[in-house]
Amino acid sequence: MKSKASAPGKVILFGEHFVVYGVKAILCAINKRITVTAEKIPMDKILIRTNIGKLELPINKPIVDIDSPLKPFYYLANTIIKKYKQKTGIEVFVESEIPSGVGLGSSSACCVAGAAAISRLFEETSKEEILDLAIKAERTIFPNTSGADCTVCTFGGLMEYDKENGFSQIKSNPNFHLVIANSNIKHSTDTVVSNVKKFKDKNEEKFFDMCKKESELINNVLTLLKENKLKELGKNMDHNQEFLENIGVSNKELRKMINIAKKTSFGAKITGAGGGGCIIALTDESNLEKTLSQIRWKNYDCFSVKIDFKGLDTF
Ligand code: MEV
């Protein structure tokens, strides 16, 4: 018997980095998915096949001894084999529509879809339990993850998150399209986050003033999202980007991409850690194609997405 599950990737619309210091962030699941197929196999092995490589290991290997980006899948399969006291192994096959390592939530979507597909080989599990397992799996590669990405990949839609109050879904259905352009510069979230900390330590007053302004911006954005005011949301994206420039997470290439995207879209900014990765531009039907062609004309990889309201899906 095979079990299949899929989960969406994500973007951060507003508030990356400042969220680390208690400011609210707004995240959104996107309609690009990871699909995981799991199957029991008559061997005491865990086999993982993906578009970024393969991993084949005996069961019960200590997680700390595994040096592979596919470690979360091994963690999930091994944990579930132990939970259900299985004597056999598991094979996992991963198909992805999301580029990896560029801030679009591919690792979170893998953990969520992986947790669901493997669990369902044994029993139906609630989304809350899947999320809990997925966050533990993601922590095998990103120990400090807040869990926000896995949460939005599980439940889908738009979400606000802050460290103190956790997550809550934003009940709204704005009709925007996001254009995502990929700098193809891989970034390490950990490194960029620690550089921001150095900046904060040197510029305490300036940094906390920006946190205050970012908080005001986010509160304003929450109202604009409910009213579907795209032009004003775009202006707030540009404004948010100024804060990201000030804390040093942008660079020449990202700025160049943002300036191209801003010519036709309502607004554009980095999404995620910065230093590389992707930018997003806000559009609707009226300026979507123009924005895509402007960016493609300058030879950047880009595509458009909409909000995914489904989140985790099993079949
Ligand atoms: C990375 O996608 C988002 C950051 O705000 C880091 C974090 O929230 O853990 C840069």
Side-chain angles (χ1 to χ4, degrees):
M1 189 199 82
K2 285 188 183 178
S3 156
K4 253 187 177 192
S6 81
K10 69 92 196 37
V11 294
I12 299 187
L13 291 177
F14 297 94
E16 51 275 270
H17 287 293
F18 299 100
V19 66
V20 175
Y21 300 92
V23 175
K24 203 179 272 178
I26 300 177
L27 295 95
C28 156
I30 58 173
N31 61 345
K32 294 273 175 209
R33 295 192 153 250
I34 300 266
T35 304
V36 177
T37 309
E39 190 174 10
K40 291 184 204 172
I41 50 170
M43 292 179 262
D44 58 356
K45 274 184 181 173
I46 293 169
L47 295 175
I48 301 151
R49 288 186 294 125
T50 77
N51 60 338
I52 57 159
K54 263 172 76 173
L55 186 67
E56 178 174 341
L57 290 171
I59 55 178
N60 282 332
K61 204 172 153 61
I63 282 292
V64 286
D65 295 347
I66 302 171
D67 179 21
S68 161
L70 303 179
K71 187 153 66 168
F73 287 113
Y74 183 89
Y75 170 87
L76 289 167
N78 204 48
T79 303
I80 292 168
I81 286 170
K82 277 203 268 186
K83 178 174 173 192
Y84 293 98
K85 300 186 172 55
Q86 289 298 295
K87 298 266 180 288
T88 55
I90 288 176
E91 179 165 5
V92 173
F93 176 60
V94 185
E95 294 158 281
S96 174
E97 299 172 342
I98 310 168
S100 65
V102 289
L104 299 180
S106 72
S107 75
S108 305
C110 279
C111 291
V112 172
I118 301 169
S119 297
R120 284 182 79 247
L121 287 172
F122 302 96
E123 66 175 350
E124 283 300 330
T125 313
S126 71
K127 278 194 170 181
E128 285 72 16
E129 284 171 280
I130 295 295
L131 173 60
D132 189 52
L133 193 56
I135 293 174
K136 286 183 182 137
E138 190 162 45
R139 291 211 163 115
T140 65
I141 45 168
F142 299 133
N144 297 320
T145 177
S146 61
D149 288 9
C150 281
T151 305
V152 78
C153 296
T154 303
F155 295 106
L158 276 166
M159 191 183 88
E160 53 178 88
Y161 166 77
D162 74 73
K163 272 186 153 174
E164 200 185 317
N165 302 304
F167 315 98
S168 81
Q169 275 187 306
I170 302 170
K171 302 272 175 265
S172 143
N173 190 358
N175 71 339
F176 59 71
H177 295 258
L178 290 168
V179 171
I180 299 183
N182 188 349
S183 69
N184 279 316
I185 305 170
K186 298 256 176 194
H187 59 182
S188 150
T189 300
D190 273 356
T191 310
V192 188
V193 168
S194 58
N195 287 343
V196 172
K197 184 175 182 309
K198 283 183 204 147
F199 174 88
K200 183 214 80 162
D201 291 344
K202 272 196 200 144
N203 306 275
E204 288 272 349
E205 208 177 312
K206 188 173 169 195
F207 189 83
F208 286 111
D209 184 53
M210 269 192 277
C211 284
K212 197 166 151 258
K213 290 192 173 124
E214 177 81 23
S215 260
E216 288 162 10
L217 182 145
I218 301 269
N219 285 335
N220 190 18
V221 157
L222 284 168
T223 312
L224 295 173
L225 275 171
K226 286 181 187 137
E227 294 169 353
N228 202 23
K229 294 202 165 138
L230 299 190
K231 282 190 183 150
E232 287 173 56
L233 279 168
K235 280 192 197 129
N236 280 279
M237 272 193 176
D238 296 343
H239 198 178
N240 194 153
Q241 178 60 23
E242 285 169 26
F243 297 145
L244 295 170
E245 295 284 346
N246 287 344
I247 60 172
V249 300
S250 190
N251 60 35
K252 213 171 143 196
E253 192 66 5
L254 295 169
R255 262 192 298 280
K256 200 165 135 197
M257 293 165 75
I258 287 167
N259 285 334
I260 298 165
K262 270 169 69 171
K263 283 189 188 143
T264 46
S265 67
F266 299 124
K269 64 180 271 297
I270 287 168
T271 185
C278 292
I279 64 137
I280 50 173
L282 189 73
T283 70
D284 64 9
E285 300 288 336
S286 71
N287 52 1
L288 170 64
E289 287 308 323
K290 267 190 253 163
T291 306
L292 282 167
S293 56
Q294 288 264 10
I295 299 173
R296 284 193 185 127
W297 193 62
K298 299 283 180 187
N299 284 324
Y300 291 106
D301 286 344
C302 75
F303 53 93
S304 72
V305 295
K306 289 202 59 121
I307 305 179
D308 167 282
F309 286 99
K310 204 174 214 174
L312 172 63
D313 196 14
T314 51
F315 39 94

